[in-house]
Amino acid sequence: MAYFDHAATTRLSERVRKAMDRHLRDVYGNPSSLHTPGIDARKTMNTVKNRLAEHFGVTRQNIVFTSSGTEANNLAIKGTYFRHPNEQIITTTIEHHATENSVRFIERVGGKTTYVGVDRDGFIDLEALKHALKTQTSLVSIIYANNEIGTIQPLKKIIPIIKAHGALLHFDMVQVPLHQAIDFSELEADFVSLSAHKFYGPRGSGCLIARDPALLEPLIHGGQQEFHRRAGTENVAAMVGFLEAYEAARENTKAHTEHVDNLSHYFIEQLNVKNFDYRLNGPDLDHSRLNAVLNIGFKGQDAQHLAFQLNRQGIYVSLGSACDSDNIELSHVLRAIDVPKAYIKGSMRISLSDENTREDIDHLLNTLEMLFNE
Ligand SMILES: Cc1ncc(COP(=O)(O)O)c(C=O)c1O
């Protein structure tokens, strides 16, 4: 089999699984309990949080653990909105659904929102951002590294614009940790969302790093967990998994990046050698992008049909489009970057990791060649 859907999720690594197993076996107390098993669980949790906080350049009070990246985005966006219901929220036209639909919710309940467009490679329109900020704004929420086309936004240009205005800034960095460290202390953002299953950690384990969590209205009410920002008995094993996966990602960043860079160049080279009629949706390789996330449009093809046929051969890609049997809704991201009509329907996402090999890519391209000639 050849798995090319690492932007959707990654395998739980053995190292992470073992760390979580150890925890699940040995520590069963509720971190809120005052007896010894509870205190043990609380100690583990605080150790995990302190270590992660050190990696991020914050203190543990700045980390709110959540059930997912989706929940982290919801907390940043709705948590800010509920504090400032009369101010607008700005986002972009190429966000993950977790952001897009949080912002749509705010519209439905009467809030003000603005979607800033992007250019043909997915880079935010800075003039449109400046213009949007003329209206009273509580939060700007931006996907730092795009999950469909890989575009990495130019922080050095974006941050001064937003700071000059005084709005809060949220970056969805869910796709980032396999590729680079998260140094919140350097970032000048107010909120950052992360999710462990994108870097060989467990699903259901995300967090929001917050410069000042007290600025957020909690979305889940109950006990005092997560410094009153997110109630519910803590999933300490999920936190252990998050930390272990994050540390493994840091130890492996250089090797991972080199491997993925090599593979992505090989992939594009082979598309050319084999004379595929294609376009790379998003920036060119090595140009402010994740080389791991390659969105390829094959001219005149039907990507849904191709993905189905590839799946039958044990090759797993993704479409980035929501579809039911009769109705394909083309990806809002591909529409936002104006992918030409001849290519948009034939677009698929190939997302790589260090678990992929050149043989996987040969297998994919040979199978595609065969399907195109059928
Ligand atoms: C950029 C981005 N943001 C948010 C999410 C949501 O994360 P989760 O799957 O943990 O809910 C994803 C996952 O696909 C993502 O790629």
Side-chain angles (χ1 to χ4, degrees):
M1 80 147 199
Y3 182 79
F4 291 110
D5 205 9
H6 293 96
T9 199
T10 55
R11 174 205 306 275
L12 185 73
S13 78
E14 262 310 281
R15 169 173 164 177
V16 174
R17 192 187 60 73
K18 281 186 184 148
M20 291 177 72
D21 275 356
R22 264 196 311 278
H23 175 81
L24 286 164
R25 194 187 52 219
D26 299 338
V27 187
Y28 61 91
N30 182 328
S32 297
S33 299
L34 295 178
H35 45 58
T36 302
I39 292 166
D40 286 349
R42 172 159 291 269
K43 275 190 190 152
T44 306
M45 185 176 80
N46 287 344
T47 305
V48 166
K49 288 186 172 183
N50 284 334
R51 267 179 45 196
L52 261 183
E54 219 172 287
H55 286 293
F56 298 150
V58 295
T59 68
R60 78 179 138 91
Q61 283 83 353
N62 299 108
I63 302 174
V64 182
F65 269 94
T66 62
S67 66
S68 56
T70 297
E71 188 191 327
N73 287 3
N74 271 261
L75 179 57
I77 294 166
K78 295 181 198 162
T80 303
Y81 167 72
F82 287 128
R83 286 289 168 88
H84 307 277
N86 297 320
E87 296 182 22
Q88 73 167 342
I89 303 252
I90 297 176
T91 190
T92 80
T93 50
I94 59 163
E95 296 299 314
H96 186 273
H97 289 306
T99 294
E100 192 197 356
N101 288 330
S102 295
V103 176
R104 297 242 179 262
F105 164 80
I106 287 169
E107 275 160 40
R108 280 205 306 282
V109 296
K112 288 177 252 168
T113 61
T114 298
Y115 298 83
V116 174
V118 295
D119 69 13
R120 284 170 170 260
D121 287 332
F123 294 109
I124 189 165
D125 179 340
L126 298 172
E127 288 310 310
L129 177 62
K130 282 182 202 161
H131 184 77
L133 280 163
K134 287 183 181 152
T135 306
Q136 193 65 23
T137 305
S138 57
L139 178 78
V140 182
S141 180
I142 295 175
I143 184 163
Y144 168 79
N146 191 272
N147 56 303
E148 285 192 46
I149 54 173
T151 310
I152 294 180
Q153 297 298 335
L155 296 194
K156 292 212 166 95
K157 292 183 183 160
I158 291 173
I159 289 171
I161 295 174
I162 292 162
K163 291 291 138 188
H165 171 278
L168 296 170
L169 175 58
H170 168 232
F171 283 126
D172 175 346
M173 297 186 95
V174 165
Q175 289 291 338
V176 176
L178 274 183
H179 310 281
Q180 75 184 54
I182 308 293
D183 187 348
F184 192 82
S185 63
E186 290 276 295
L187 201 56
E188 294 188 77
D190 296 284
F191 308 111
V192 161
S193 300
L194 298 173
S195 177
H197 74 101
K198 305 292 183 178
F199 48 95
Y200 300 122
R203 258 150 273 180
S205 178
C207 79
L208 186 71
I209 313 172
R211 192 167 301 288
D212 182 0
L215 295 177
L216 298 169
E217 189 63 35
L219 304 184
I220 300 178
H221 298 96
Q224 304 183 356
Q225 294 89 353
E226 301 304 298
F227 306 102
H228 299 269
R229 287 314 100 186
R230 201 263 186 184
T233 301
E234 299 90 340
N235 186 348
V236 184
M239 297 177 184
V240 168
F242 190 117
L243 173 68
E244 196 70 27
Y246 189 80
E247 293 193 335
R250 296 289 57 78
E251 287 162 29
N252 199 32
T253 311
K254 192 163 173 283
H256 185 273
T257 305
E258 273 173 21
H259 186 83
V260 164
D261 283 349
N262 281 334
L263 276 188
S264 58
H265 280 273
Y266 179 71
F267 182 60
I268 298 293
E269 249 167 56
Q270 290 302 305
L271 282 170
N272 294 332
V273 167
K274 290 176 179 287
N275 273 322
F276 279 98
D277 193 345
Y278 77 96
R279 93 190 275 283
L280 175 63
N281 299 321
D284 290 340
L285 283 190
D286 305 329
H287 284 78
S288 193
R289 62 138 51 243
L290 294 178
N291 282 348
V293 179
L294 301 173
N295 197 301
I296 308 289
F298 292 103
K299 190 172 182 185
Q301 298 289 336
D302 176 347
Q304 195 188 13
H305 169 75
L306 293 174
F308 181 74
Q309 296 299 333
L310 289 171
N311 182 59
R312 291 175 55 163
Q313 308 283 335
I315 301 171
Y316 310 121
V317 301
S318 113
L319 294 182
S321 58
C323 37
D324 60 43
S325 51
D326 316 307
N327 198 354
I328 302 179
E329 195 193 309
L330 294 169
S331 147
H332 66 289
V333 175
L334 298 187
R335 280 189 279 121
I337 64 168
D338 268 338
V339 173
K341 219 170 162 205
Y343 292 91
I344 195 164
K345 214 171 151 225
S347 292
M348 64 174 70
R349 180 182 70 181
I350 317 292
S351 51
L352 306 168
S353 86
D354 57 353
E355 294 204 331
N356 290 118
T357 60
R358 284 188 173 212
E359 287 70 40
D360 289 345
I361 287 173
D362 293 339
H363 184 30
L364 167 66
L365 294 181
N366 291 338
T367 310
L368 281 173
E369 257 183 335
M370 197 183 72
L371 292 171
F372 288 1
N373 292 326
E374 259 178 7

